[in-house]
Amino acid sequence: MAALTFAVARPVRVPRPKARRHVTGWAFVGPATLIVVGLSLFPAVWAFFISRAKWNGITAGVPVGWRNYQQLAHDPDMLAAARHTLLLTALFVPLSIVLGIVVAIALNQRIRLIGFYRTCIFVPYVASAAATGILASFVFNPQFGAANDVLRHLGIPQQQFLESPSQALYVIVLIALWGEVGFTTVIYLAALQDIPKELVEAATMDGAGRWRVFRHVTLPELRPVTVFAAVWQTITAVQLFDLIYTTTRGGPLNSTQTVVYYIYELAFQTQRLGYGAAAAYLLFVVTLLLTLGIIWYSRRRGSEVF
């Protein structure tokens, strides 16, 4: 009877509202966290250990320390791929930003069918990059491509485009711009619509023309967006793979072989997984340094966005 009385009189613990909120929150984010850890963090850590070994994916790996990283510094193919990647990035990033601003200003006007025009600009960005590459291969085909048909009607000599070692990389940049300008256009269009109209009206009343308003009012207001676009497009250019895979596959004569495509060849064609993992980690470090450099420069100029 005493035991029964004790059991009845014992206070019942009620979960605290704060603890209940934590449990509910983790119930929602837990599966996503497991996916991120399982598909991103764990493979990244495992790849670091692979980069310090000689491994073909089948037999047991042989630890080699930092030898793979040392060999990368003297690998002529890696150096050539780095030059191609740097040239592609140096062309793609500024052009995508400039074209994004120009197209965004054009689409910020009050004209008929403006919604249709905005949709047409954004469609190439949401389309598959692999499909874009396959379509571009037909357009720039030297024998029956539409690009040479246009040149023929204009009286310009036909070009080899993707089959020319001196032209292929520039054509890749052009195709990448066609697919990515929609992204920069959308973010710049949103930024333009967020600029206070009072600033533009005040500058106009002070006698500033369109060019001076654009230079002294619009561009300063777009600086944070420009920093974000520069970082995003730099990462996109450095990691460009699917477009090259579906068009040139690094050719002709390795003229379009970028670092990411070279890593793919090392890991999945020559089965040098350790060496390929070292190249991937080196690419990660370079991308991180480029991103931090852009952010540091933007903060020095007073355009903080991160």
Side-chain angles (χ1 to χ4, degrees):
M1 185 67 179
L4 179 60
T5 303
F6 175 75
V8 173
R10 188 176 181 181
V12 179
R13 284 191 173 183
V14 180
R16 298 179 179 178
K18 186 176 181 179
R20 184 179 299 175
R21 287 197 299 269
H22 286 315
V23 173
T24 303
W26 278 107
F28 280 101
V29 304
T33 303
L34 292 176
I35 292 175
V36 171
V37 172
L39 298 180
S40 298
L41 298 182
F42 174 74
V45 174
W46 188 35
F48 176 73
F49 290 103
I50 294 176
S51 69
R52 292 171 50 84
K54 183 179 180 181
W55 188 45
N56 59 5
I58 301 175
T59 60
V62 179
V64 295
W66 300 100
R67 190 183 306 169
N68 287 332
Y69 293 91
Q70 294 173 354
Q71 292 180 357
L72 284 172
H74 305 284
D75 187 348
D77 293 331
M78 181 64 182
L79 296 177
R83 287 195 300 270
H84 299 154
T85 304
L86 182 61
L87 177 59
L88 188 149
T89 304
L91 293 174
F92 171 77
V93 176
L95 288 174
S96 65
I97 292 175
V98 172
L99 289 176
I101 294 176
V102 172
V103 177
I105 292 175
L107 295 179
N108 198 35
Q109 310 300 319
R110 294 183 179 180
I111 57 178
R112 295 183 59 184
L113 302 177
I114 188 63
F116 172 74
Y117 299 141
R118 291 174 179 176
T119 302
C120 291
I121 289 295
F122 193 65
V123 163
Y125 176 73
V126 299
S128 170
T132 300
I134 295 173
L135 177 63
S137 298
F138 287 101
V139 172
F140 292 101
N141 187 283
Q143 284 74 37
F144 52 83
N148 267 334
D149 286 340
V150 174
L151 296 181
R152 190 182 307 111
H153 285 88
L154 295 176
I156 301 175
Q158 298 186 17
Q159 305 297 320
Q160 294 299 311
F161 295 120
L162 294 174
E163 294 186 6
S164 171
S166 61
Q167 299 177 1
L169 188 62
Y170 300 100
V171 177
I172 291 292
V173 173
L174 180 62
I175 300 170
L177 286 172
W178 184 82
E180 292 289 336
V181 164
F183 171 76
T184 54
T185 299
V186 167
I187 62 174
Y188 275 117
L189 183 60
L192 287 172
Q193 295 176 353
D194 197 43
I195 296 177
K197 295 182 179 179
E198 294 80 6
L199 294 177
V200 179
E201 292 175 354
T204 304
M205 292 179 64
D206 288 341
R210 290 187 177 181
W211 169 248
R212 295 188 65 183
V213 170
F214 174 75
R215 180 180 178 183
H216 297 288
V217 177
T218 305
L219 281 183
E221 291 292 323
L222 295 179
R223 282 178 183 172
V225 178
T226 302
V227 175
F228 169 76
V231 171
W232 186 274
Q233 297 297 75
T234 298
I235 296 175
T236 300
V238 170
Q239 297 182 351
L240 188 65
F241 170 78
D242 41 11
L243 189 60
I244 294 177
Y245 181 82
T246 54
T247 53
T248 62
R249 300 207 174 188
L253 301 177
N254 293 334
S255 60
T256 60
Q257 186 180 62
T258 59
V259 174
V260 174
Y261 192 83
Y262 183 54
I263 293 172
Y264 163 77
E265 287 187 339
L266 289 174
F268 299 103
Q269 293 187 356
T270 62
Q271 304 301 318
R272 301 169 64 187
L273 296 180
Y275 195 59
Y281 256 93
L282 182 61
L283 177 64
F284 164 74
V285 172
V286 172
T287 305
L288 179 63
L289 292 177
L290 286 174
T291 302
L292 294 177
I294 295 174
I295 296 174
W296 172 81
Y297 179 76
S298 67
R299 289 185 174 180
R300 188 179 179 182
R301 296 291 299 271
S303 303
E304 295 188 14
V305 67
F306 293 95

